[in-house]
Amino acid sequence: QQCQELNKRIANAENNRNILHQIGSKTRFLLEARQLKLLSELQTIYPIEPYWPLEDLQSQSQLQNNNQGQTSPYVKGRNSVNSNHNDNNGNSNNHNYNIPKSLHLTNPNQQARWVIRGIELPQLDCPAKDEEQLATALGYIVHVVVLLSKYSQINLRYQLLYYSSRSMIRDPTANGSGVNQSLPLYRTNTEPERFRKAVLWLRKNIEQILMTKGLTYDYNKGILYNLHAIFKNELISQFR
């Protein structure tokens, strides 16, 4: 009789385990589905796309004339010449950059440049007239990285403080407190060394996210290329 009671308890425990396993599998599936939905929406709000400047298109046109019929599996740009994106208030932002309607690269050494919401990330040592564009693009990137880390449940090494085009980054393990521990992700009226260090920390955060996905940061490419690689990895079916 004791053996029968023990067998009954074992059977009940096994049944409960199977039920919990099914519930856990369903919960994981729903969580992953929601994460993919959020990532897809984020990619729609902040599209990261390749483009070719007008001067590159002119040289590319000459190459195409000389090499008709040759194609290369490089990614194409958006099918428009000018891209309009609406900001969070519904206002239209017309960013005038040149994207080929149909282009296959015939020069393997030619690489596309990248834009986020139609704005290219300038060089860190860009002219003063481009400082606001640089700050705006970095603000977009910060917002994307913050949301990516939340959706993927990743604790970033460096804390991002999103304030649009005046975003900042800080090392939470640094001694002391106060604004001096936060580095600016904008160049206007800031020390160049602190700004460059802030961008380096931002790259490290993106590299951390890539590593959790089994990817590596390509330091031969820009920040936007590597950020795009995260979306491409997570939403591969949408990029085929």
Side-chain angles (χ1 to χ4, degrees):
Q1 185 176 2
Q2 290 180 349
C3 290
Q4 291 178 351
E5 183 67 22
L6 181 60
N7 289 334
K8 184 177 180 181
R9 290 182 179 180
I10 293 174
N12 289 335
E14 184 70 17
N15 184 52
N16 291 335
R17 187 187 69 83
N18 291 335
I19 294 175
L20 291 174
H21 178 73
Q22 293 175 0
I23 295 175
S25 298
K26 182 178 180 180
T27 301
R28 285 195 299 271
F29 172 78
L30 293 175
L31 177 60
E32 292 174 358
R34 176 163 177 77
Q35 287 177 335
L36 288 176
K37 181 176 183 295
L38 291 172
L39 288 173
S40 178
E41 291 175 349
L42 180 60
Q43 195 271 338
T44 301
I45 296 171
Y46 288 104
I48 301 174
E49 304 164 310
Y51 90 107
W52 290 264
L54 181 60
E55 59 269 19
D56 290 352
L57 294 183
Q58 292 172 343
S59 62
Q60 178 62 31
S61 177
Q62 295 175 355
L63 286 171
Q64 287 179 322
N65 292 334
N66 296 332
N67 301 280
Q68 290 184 355
Q70 298 182 17
T71 61
S72 175
Y74 281 74
V75 65
K76 295 181 183 180
R78 180 186 288 262
N79 292 330
S80 63
V81 176
N82 296 324
S83 179
N84 295 323
H85 293 293
N86 293 330
D87 59 23
N88 295 331
N89 296 321
N91 298 319
S92 177
N93 295 323
N94 187 356
H95 304 294
N96 186 15
Y97 60 94
N98 297 280
I99 297 178
K101 292 183 177 180
S102 179
L103 174 64
H104 293 279
L105 295 181
T106 56
N107 182 0
N109 295 321
Q110 185 179 11
Q111 294 182 351
R113 288 152 69 174
W114 293 82
V115 294
I116 180 169
R117 293 198 74 187
I119 295 181
E120 183 179 7
L121 178 66
Q123 297 293 326
L124 302 186
D125 58 350
C126 65
K129 65 181 180 64
D130 294 330
E131 286 183 352
E132 283 306 311
Q133 177 180 335
L134 177 62
T136 299
L138 286 173
Y140 288 164
I141 293 170
V142 168
H143 200 196
V144 170
V145 173
V146 168
L147 294 177
L148 276 175
S149 66
K150 288 186 176 180
Y151 298 162
S152 301
Q153 298 179 335
I154 299 172
N155 293 321
L156 295 175
R157 169 67 177 83
Y158 300 100
Q159 180 184 5
L160 287 167
L161 308 174
Y162 174 63
Y163 303 123
S164 190
S165 60
R166 291 298 180 266
S167 296
M168 306 188 79
I169 190 170
R170 66 183 298 271
D171 183 357
T173 64
N175 296 327
S177 60
V179 70
N180 290 333
Q181 300 299 321
S182 300
L183 301 181
L185 283 164
Y186 53 91
R187 211 181 68 178
T188 305
N189 299 325
T190 61
E191 298 176 12
E193 182 178 351
R194 287 169 56 82
F195 171 67
R196 286 193 296 268
K197 188 174 183 179
V199 175
L200 174 62
W201 285 0
L202 178 60
R203 287 196 183 103
K204 291 296 184 182
N205 277 347
I206 298 174
E207 182 177 11
Q208 180 185 349
I209 296 176
L210 283 165
M211 290 179 63
T212 63
K213 310 296 183 182
L215 305 172
T216 56
Y217 192 101
D218 189 345
Y219 280 92
N220 294 322
K221 305 289 180 67
I223 290 178
L224 290 178
Y225 174 89
N226 286 278
L227 201 56
H228 176 264
I230 298 174
F231 286 105
K232 185 175 181 180
N233 180 72
E234 295 298 294
L235 306 172
I236 187 65
S237 61
Q238 298 188 22
F239 289 84
R240 288 176 179 173

